[in-house]
């Protein structure tokens, strides 16, 4: 049981997220995603170039539906070819994924999906190792419940 506990501590960080070092594949996917993200972020000026300045609300790139999009003034929507991913709360801005950015966004989504699949595989493996130690886990849970009961009785007694 101690080995299982140490394995879990080495894989799951105190905040509950998986460590990038949980597996070589996970670390590799994370590094590839960061590299692709940086490359993609640096090329956004290229994606904005074909559109008239009056159409672009801000030269600010944002994310909608896990895809990089640009804010476009609603009345100029027809001047920017791409996929709409929603509107601002005021309705003055539509968030558009330019057609020339779709392939880059698809690459990021593919890397993210591979990373999520590896994370699921790691969590499944941890679950299986815990399942093998089920009697010890149940005994530990019973001991904690008994200690909690004793503490509650002690705290409830008047001085």
């Amino acid at each position: 049981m101690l080995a299982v506990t140490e394995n879990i501590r080495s894989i799951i960080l105190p905040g509950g997220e998986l460590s990038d070092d949980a597996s070589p594949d996970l670390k590799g996917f994370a590094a590839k995603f960061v590299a692709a993200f940086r490359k993609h972020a640096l090329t956004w000026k290229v994606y904005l170039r074909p559109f008239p300045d009056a159409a672009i609300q801000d030269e600010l790139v944002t994310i909608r539906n896990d895809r990089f999009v640009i804010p476009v003034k609603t009345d100029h929507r027809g001047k920017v070819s791409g996929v709409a991913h929603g509107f601002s709360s005021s309705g003055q801005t539509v968030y558009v994924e330019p057609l020339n950015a779709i392939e880059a966004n698809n690459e990021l989504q593919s890397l993210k999906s591979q990373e999520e699949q590896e994370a699921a595989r790691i969590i499944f493996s941890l679950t299986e190792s815990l399942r093998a130690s089920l009697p010890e886990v149940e005994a530990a849970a019973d001991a904690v419940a008994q200690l909690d009961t004793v503490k509650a009785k002690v705290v409830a007694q008047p001085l």
Side-chain angles (χ1 to χ4, degrees), residues 44 60-64 67-71 85 95-98:
W44 264 96
L60 184 68
V61 177
T62 188
I63 297 176
R64 292 289 165 118
R67 304 195 58 95
F68 284 98
V69 295
I70 55 174
H85 286 277
Y95 297 97
V96 177
E97 177 183 11

Side-chain angles (χ1 to χ4, degrees), residues 3-12 18 22 119-133:
V4 172
T5 303
E6 289 304 314
N7 190 32
I8 291 170
R9 284 190 179 137
S10 71
I11 291 174
I12 298 179
L18 286 181
R121 187 199 63 75
I122 291 166
I123 291 170
F124 181 79
S125 175
L126 286 176
T127 303
E128 288 300 306
S129 68
L130 275 173
R131 185 172 286 122
S133 302

Side-chain angles (χ1 to χ4, degrees), residues 67-146:
R67 304 195 58 95
F68 284 98
V69 295
I70 55 174
V72 175
K73 295 174 187 170
T74 304
D75 53 338
H76 288 85
R77 170 64 184 102
K79 295 178 182 170
V80 178
S81 56
V83 179
H85 286 277
F87 292 86
S88 65
S89 57
S90 68
Q92 299 295 313
T93 305
V94 61
Y95 297 97
V96 177
E97 177 183 11
L99 291 177
N100 58 353
I102 289 176
E103 192 58 41
N105 272 331
N106 287 347
E107 176 188 4
L108 289 171
Q109 289 303 309
S110 175
L111 289 168
K112 184 177 177 185
S113 176
Q114 291 172 7
E115 186 177 14
E116 288 170 352
Q117 288 174 357
E118 177 63 6
R121 187 199 63 75
I122 291 166
I123 291 170
F124 181 79
S125 175
L126 286 176
T127 303
E128 288 300 306
S129 68
L130 275 173
R131 185 172 286 122
S133 302
L134 186 59
E136 292 96 337
V137 171
E138 288 173 335
D142 287 342
V144 169
Q146 289 173 9

